[in-house]
Amino acid sequence: MTVMTKPEQTAARAVIDAPALSPATVKKPDLISVEQAKALDVARITDLFKDHLNPGQIHFMKLLGFHKVKIERAEGMFYIDQNGRKILDFFGGFGSLAFGHNHPRILDARIKFQEEKRQEIAIAFMSQYAAALAHNIAACSPGDLDMVFLGSSGSEAMEAAVKVAERAAGPKRPKIVYAENSFHGKTKGVLGITDGQLYRADFKMADNTVRIPFGDIDAVERLFRNDPEIGVIVLETIQGGGGIIQAPAEYWQKLRALCDKHGVLWVADEVQCGYGRSGRFYAFEHYGVVPDVTALAKSLGAGKAAVGAMIAKRDIYMKAYGTPKTAMIHAMATFGGMGEACVTAIEGINLLYDEGLIDNSAATGDYLLTRLQALKDKHPKIIKDVRGKGLMVGLEFHDFSQTLPMVLRPIVSVLDDKLKGSLSGFVGALLLRDYDVLVAFTEYNRNVIRLEPPLICGREHVDRFIEALDSLLSRGIVAIVKDFVKSQVR
């Protein structure tokens, strides 16, 4: 028998030096460190903003006096600036701060995630955090809304919502209906259903969209009856950028019936009005109806992460992406379902219910509306309307000419269009400067101040805001204008 033996290897294995991880030939640019960034003063921040972010935006920040403020930290209902001034936040990041600033439970969940070095980006594997978050969102959603797509923003969530609906509607029904004064995002796809010329600019829009008045159910019925190519209708349940505009309950109930009758899919944009802000998890729940697809974002990230979600009925989702061949058409993107972001959102949804914040939004929102209505009765020549639901409230001022003495109104009224938004701007600027209160504005009706404080807002915060606003309006229009002008020349 012949025995084969492995020949001895006497030659030494060649060793190759690994290249240096940081080649000396690569010079580090002039970078700002984290600590240096923290220490930047307002003047330097302004220079960097003009040089590298958005020079034109500085103009509007200066008008409002916002450019003088450097926020050092934030907690609960307050920002704290470079002078230690506590600023009451009735802006709430357009509804992004349900839990206020730096809620302890949210911070603890994120710190624990980091300390345990858990996975952040795991797109090659199934993520327990993305799966759990999807379950929680589905558990909060009524009816058959149980298929979830995770993204990083409201625009991304709405892109996903429109795409899943368009695919489910099919190529024979390509047309998408949207409403006047709608806002669904600034990315290229949903820009075609965002009704704002400022944002549309001269970009080429999709040619398969149809615009109708918001809240006009007869217009919807005529359109569905006369155009068999209509496949999808996309509506904010409460229009935010339009000036906090609602449609009556019967509108939504008839809309649901018309969609069912004509086979049209209804996409409800709840990016701003959802997540408890209206006093229900979704605003459409007030009306006893369920859309085919919806979207969340804003506070879904609990004020510490960028998280958006599309939620669709299972049959709609499966029709669009339900086979191995179609599953990857709109699969999760790189930063959809990141570990720490999902953990933050999971803790946030639990916190929303544990602390009764949806109920608080309803109760405190009613209190805010009641106090604002009393203020309207006290200042009827300044305040035109008060409206909203929960802690999503609009305060509309009269056109500028209507706030002046009768003898001046005919003269100034010809300038009302150009002056639209000036009074809300004056009030917003002076509330910040003189009363340490921050408010927001709306995109289309510039006479409206938008109030979206965190859902932790209490009556004491409402009282402070109302007292500040009352004090300011009691100065009278002439004094308000003079005070604002003085603030611009200092």
Side-chain angles (χ1 to χ4, degrees), residues 14 18 144 149 158 167 174 199 209 239 306 308 348 350 369 405 408 423:
D144 298 326
F149 169 89
M158 282 304 298
R167 266 193 64 80
Y199 305 123
T209 60
Q239 288 193 325
N350 278 278
L369 286 165
L408 296 175
L423 182 55

Side-chain angles (χ1 to χ4, degrees), residues 283-312:
F284 58 72
E285 291 183 271
H286 288 283
Y287 312 118
V289 290
V290 179
D292 300 294
V293 185
T294 188
L296 295 169
K298 302 292 186 187
S299 286
L300 184 58
K304 299 299 289 186
V307 184
M310 175 277 292
I311 311 95

Side-chain angles (χ1 to χ4, degrees), residues 192-215:
I193 53 173
T194 290
D195 186 36
Q197 191 52 48
L198 172 66
Y199 305 123
R200 287 177 164 232
D202 54 359
F203 296 111
K204 180 173 175 53
M205 297 295 106
D207 58 4
N208 64 328
T209 60
V210 182
R211 177 173 173 264
I212 59 169
F214 181 73

Side-chain angles (χ1 to χ4, degrees), residues 11-250:
R13 180 177 294 173
V15 177
I16 301 174
D17 291 333
L21 293 178
S22 300
T25 54
V26 178
K27 183 180 178 181
K28 184 178 180 180
D30 182 17
L31 303 178
I32 297 172
S33 70
V34 172
E35 286 303 312
Q36 288 171 331
K38 179 182 174 183
L40 291 173
D41 61 23
V42 171
R44 179 65 173 141
I45 296 169
T46 301
D47 288 340
L48 292 173
F49 197 99
K50 286 191 290 188
D51 290 345
H52 304 297
L53 286 170
N54 192 331
Q57 190 175 343
I58 293 288
H59 166 76
F60 300 102
M61 297 181 78
K62 284 183 175 180
L63 280 176
L64 296 168
F66 292 179
H67 70 299
K68 299 176 182 178
V69 179
K70 176 192 174 185
I71 299 301
E72 294 288 359
R73 60 190 183 90
E75 185 174 355
M77 286 290 297
F78 296 92
Y79 289 104
I80 297 92
D81 76 359
Q82 72 271 33
N83 301 312
R85 178 173 63 146
K86 293 182 70 175
I87 300 169
L88 179 62
D89 185 7
F90 260 60
F91 170 23
F94 294 118
S96 298
L97 294 163
F99 311 106
H101 300 272
N102 290 309
H103 192 289
R105 269 184 57 176
I106 300 299
L107 295 182
D108 287 346
R110 292 169 66 84
I111 290 168
K112 187 174 182 180
F113 183 93
Q114 296 163 16
E115 288 177 344
E116 295 178 357
K117 294 184 173 67
R118 296 185 234 164
Q119 83 275 14
E120 187 64 88
I121 297 176
I123 53 179
F125 310 102
M126 290 186 291
S127 165
Q128 62 267 50
Y129 308 115
L133 176 57
H135 167 271
N136 286 358
I137 293 171
C140 295
S141 303
D144 298 326
L145 290 169
D146 56 7
M147 297 301 292
V148 178
F149 169 89
L150 296 174
S152 303
S153 69
S155 289
E156 189 179 0
M158 282 304 298
E159 294 276 2
V162 173
K163 286 179 71 177
V164 74
E166 184 176 342
R167 266 193 64 80
K172 293 182 178 180
R173 307 190 70 171
K175 291 186 180 179
I176 300 171
V177 180
Y178 70 99
E180 292 176 358
N181 295 324
S182 61
F183 183 90
H184 299 292
K186 298 177 186 175
T187 50
K188 192 62 162 60
V190 291
L191 191 60
I193 53 173
T194 290
D195 186 36
Q197 191 52 48
L198 172 66
Y199 305 123
R200 287 177 164 232
D202 54 359
F203 296 111
K204 180 173 175 53
M205 297 295 106
D207 58 4
N208 64 328
T209 60
V210 182
R211 177 173 173 264
I212 59 169
F214 181 73
D216 185 343
I217 198 64
D218 293 332
V220 174
E221 185 170 17
R222 284 193 301 271
L223 192 59
F224 285 7
R225 185 173 61 245
N226 296 328
D227 192 342
E229 290 192 338
I230 299 296
V232 179
I233 184 167
V234 184
L235 299 166
E236 296 161 272
T237 314
I238 302 174
Q239 288 193 325
I244 316 300
I245 304 299
Q246 302 176 71
E250 54 268 25

Side-chain angles (χ1 to χ4, degrees), residues 230-417:
I230 299 296
V232 179
I233 184 167
V234 184
L235 299 166
E236 296 161 272
T237 314
I238 302 174
Q239 288 193 325
I244 316 300
I245 304 299
Q246 302 176 71
E250 54 268 25
Y251 172 85
W252 300 108
Q253 292 155 4
K254 289 179 180 178
L255 175 71
R256 179 69 274 175
L258 285 170
C259 286
D260 292 340
K261 177 181 179 180
H262 294 276
V264 176
L265 300 180
W266 167 27
V267 176
D269 183 342
E270 293 261 341
V271 166
Q272 190 171 153
C273 61
Y275 201 80
R277 180 145 298 277
S278 73
R280 300 292 294 270
F281 188 83
Y282 292 105
F284 58 72
E285 291 183 271
H286 288 283
Y287 312 118
V289 290
V290 179
D292 300 294
V293 185
T294 188
L296 295 169
K298 302 292 186 187
S299 286
L300 184 58
K304 299 299 289 186
V307 184
M310 175 277 292
I311 311 95
K313 291 181 176 179
R314 175 172 290 274
D315 62 331
I316 302 297
Y317 185 90
M318 296 303 287
K319 191 173 182 180
Y321 308 129
T323 68
K325 184 178 180 180
T326 60
M328 302 305 290
I329 290 175
H330 199 86
M332 206 181 303
T334 306
F335 298 117
M338 287 182 70
E340 190 174 328
C342 286
V343 164
T344 305
I346 290 168
E347 186 70 3
I349 292 177
N350 278 278
L351 184 59
L352 190 69
Y353 289 94
D354 291 345
E355 295 197 351
L357 296 183
I358 299 177
D359 291 334
N360 185 67
S361 178
T364 306
D366 285 346
Y367 182 64
L368 174 60
L369 286 165
T370 298
R371 294 223 56 191
L372 284 171
Q373 185 60 49
L375 215 57
K376 176 180 179 292
D377 295 340
K378 184 177 179 179
H379 304 282
K381 294 182 180 179
I382 300 176
I383 299 176
K384 179 180 179 180
D385 192 25
V386 171
R387 53 182 177 265
K389 193 176 286 292
L391 287 172
M392 186 173 180
V393 173
L395 174 66
E396 184 175 2
F397 296 116
H398 286 288
D399 283 336
F400 201 82
S401 67
Q402 300 305 303
T403 67
L404 298 174
M406 191 68 70
V407 67
L408 296 175
R409 291 183 187 179
I411 302 170
V412 179
S413 63
V414 296
L415 299 173
D416 272 341
D417 190 56

